[in-house]
Amino acid sequence: MKHRTVRSNRELPMHLMLLPGVILVLIFSYFPMAGIVIAFQNFIPSLGFSRSEWVGLDNFRYVLSLPDTLQVFWNTIYISALKIAAGLAVPVTVALLLNELGKKWFKGLMQTLIYVPHFLSWVILGGILIDVLSPSQGLVNQVLSLFGFDPIYFLGDNSWFPNTLIVTNTWKEFGFGTIVYLAALTGLNPNLYEAAMIDGAGRWKQTLHITLPGIIPVVVLMATLSLGHVLNAGFDQVFNLYSPVVYQSGDIIDTMVYRIGLVQAQFGVATAVGLLKSVVSFLLISVCYWLAYRFANYQIF
């Protein structure tokens, strides 16, 4: 009993350090859940929760009856899935390449350069990309014109817009993922590489038989955890880059909720869409955590 008391006293400061975070989560994540009731009401702000008309599942039926709903869900899954795939393949490849660099100063410089875009908001990057990808004055199209190509409407063509979202998001975020895999590479046993060199294995063979198998558990973990966010295609990016011209290929669930809820003031319908997305996301995250535990031995507690 005395041992348990001493241990509890030692852990008390650590638990107190968690208190601000717990309070923030309660305020911004759990208390607002009371607003879920709006999804089942014809909510009017002046009447509040208690006096707004109860409509049951009518908001959900209305959302599912909209002609663009299925297209919006497809756009969300398509863009998000390709972002997840690119967000795994590119950082792993770059981490393997950086791991082969001999000069530490150059390796550190490259890590810094590829990590910088992660800290820039999509408000800033959106303005930059709009100028760079402009069909008339954009740098990219000017370079393409030198090789005889016609201007490409990256942000105004439905066939190009989703791919533009995927490429620009990967460019912005792959530096963060690269650091995760570089950290995994530092944990590999150097004796394995020495033994492989003695056996005559070159750098490619070492990468194929030592490096890749060594980081596979981390790759599996990151992949399974990413699957839980398949309905989050990146509101900030899409909102700052899209326009009504590319709604067909670029409109996602979050931007649909924004337009219905804030622009059109249909609060009940917007909440219904958000609740539907949250339920599906919760199920996906639960499955993904089970997969992470099953295949990567990852546990929260």
Side-chain angles (χ1 to χ4, degrees), residues 191-214:
N191 295 329
L192 296 175
Y193 291 98
E194 294 177 3
M197 292 175 63
I198 294 175
D199 290 339
R203 298 303 300 175
W204 170 246
K205 290 292 185 180
Q206 294 176 32
T207 301
L208 190 62
H209 297 288
I210 299 176
T211 307
L212 283 177

Side-chain angles (χ1 to χ4, degrees), residues 223-234:
T224 52
L225 295 180
S226 298
L227 292 176
H229 302 282
V230 73
L231 292 183
N232 294 321

Side-chain angles (χ1 to χ4, degrees), residues 8 39 48 62 86 88 107 113 141 164 199 229-230 235 245 286 291:
S8 300
Y62 174 75
L88 290 173
K107 181 178 179 179
L113 290 177
N141 276 302
T164 303
D199 290 339
H229 302 282
V230 73
F235 172 79
V245 179
S286 300
L291 291 174

Side-chain angles (χ1 to χ4, degrees), residues 17 42 49 53 58 94 103 111 152 175 177 183 186 217 236 244 250 253 261 273 276 296:
M17 290 175 63
N42 180 20
F49 297 147
E53 180 186 1
D58 286 353
V94 174
K103 297 183 178 180
Q111 285 181 268
I152 298 175
T186 59
D236 293 345
I253 295 175
V273 178
L276 185 62

